[in-house]
């Protein structure tokens, strides 16, 4: 794992006919192990991002998920990839790239961690690892 791991939560959505990929993130002191889930850090990032999205819906209209259950993702990546590669990957997807290609690119950027966030009725938020 790189010296400076970073954990981000991102949403794949459309609002008013325009794609968007809002992101929330934080640096980690230590990488999340390959056999673990992001637990508290992941929950906090997801909650903050979802609250921002909820607020955003007041001013710009209804939100629509683009990728069904893969529309809310958590990704662990090196800080360098966050600064250099992720912005280009995000721009390519927003400008019409396919979601399948985006997810493959996110998996290539990730270091031991790309999770889908799901919630079933009467169950806690669950992180499930996306497999390449």
């Amino acid at each position: 794992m790189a010296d400076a791991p970073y954990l981000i939560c991102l949403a794949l959505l459309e609002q008013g006919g325009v794609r968007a990929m809002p992101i929330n993130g934080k640096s980690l002191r230590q990488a999340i192990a390959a056999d673990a889930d992001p637990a508290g850090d992941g929950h906090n990032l997801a909650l903050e991002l979802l609250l921002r999205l909820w607020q955003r819906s007041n001013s710009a209209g209804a939100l629509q998920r683009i990728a069904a259950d893969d529309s809310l993702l958590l990704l662990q990546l090196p800080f360098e990839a966050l600064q250099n590669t992720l912005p280009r990957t995000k721009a390519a997807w927003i400008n019409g790239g396919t979601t399948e290609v985006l997810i493959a690119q996110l998996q290539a950027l990730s270091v031991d961690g790309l999770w889908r966030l799901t919630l079933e009725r009467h169950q806690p938020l669950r992180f499930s690892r996306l497999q390449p």
Side-chain angles (χ1 to χ4, degrees):
M1 177 74 199
D3 293 341
Y6 210 81
L7 185 64
I8 63 168
C9 184
L10 58 91
L12 306 178
L13 59 93
E14 184 175 291
Q15 189 172 27
V18 177
R19 282 183 172 187
M21 186 191 301
I23 295 175
N24 189 30
K26 72 175 279 184
S27 61
L28 300 173
R29 292 178 194 236
Q30 184 175 345
I32 299 166
D35 61 346
D37 75 28
D41 287 332
H43 285 107
N44 290 340
L45 288 175
L47 177 60
E48 290 171 11
L49 180 63
L50 290 170
L51 284 172
R52 283 186 19 229
L53 292 175
W54 190 30
Q55 292 169 339
R56 177 182 177 154
S57 70
N58 284 345
S59 61
L63 303 171
Q64 181 177 349
R65 296 184 310 164
I66 294 274
D69 286 343
D70 290 342
S71 294
L72 187 59
L73 302 172
L74 207 67
L75 172 65
Q76 178 176 239
L77 70 166
F79 188 72
E80 298 78 24
L82 175 73
Q83 291 181 314
N84 300 322
T85 311
L86 186 61
R88 289 189 305 271
T89 302
K90 177 179 176 177
W93 181 79
I94 287 173
N95 291 314
T98 68
T99 301
E100 293 79 18
V101 168
L102 171 70
I103 290 175
Q105 291 171 333
L106 293 175
Q107 286 175 321
L109 286 177
S110 77
V111 179
D112 290 333
L114 178 59
W115 296 269
R116 165 190 305 124
L117 284 80
T118 56
L119 184 64
E120 294 181 28
R121 191 174 182 123
H122 306 296
Q123 298 296 318
L125 181 65
R126 190 179 76 153
F127 298 96
S128 55
R129 197 172 290 274
L130 285 171
Q131 300 302 321

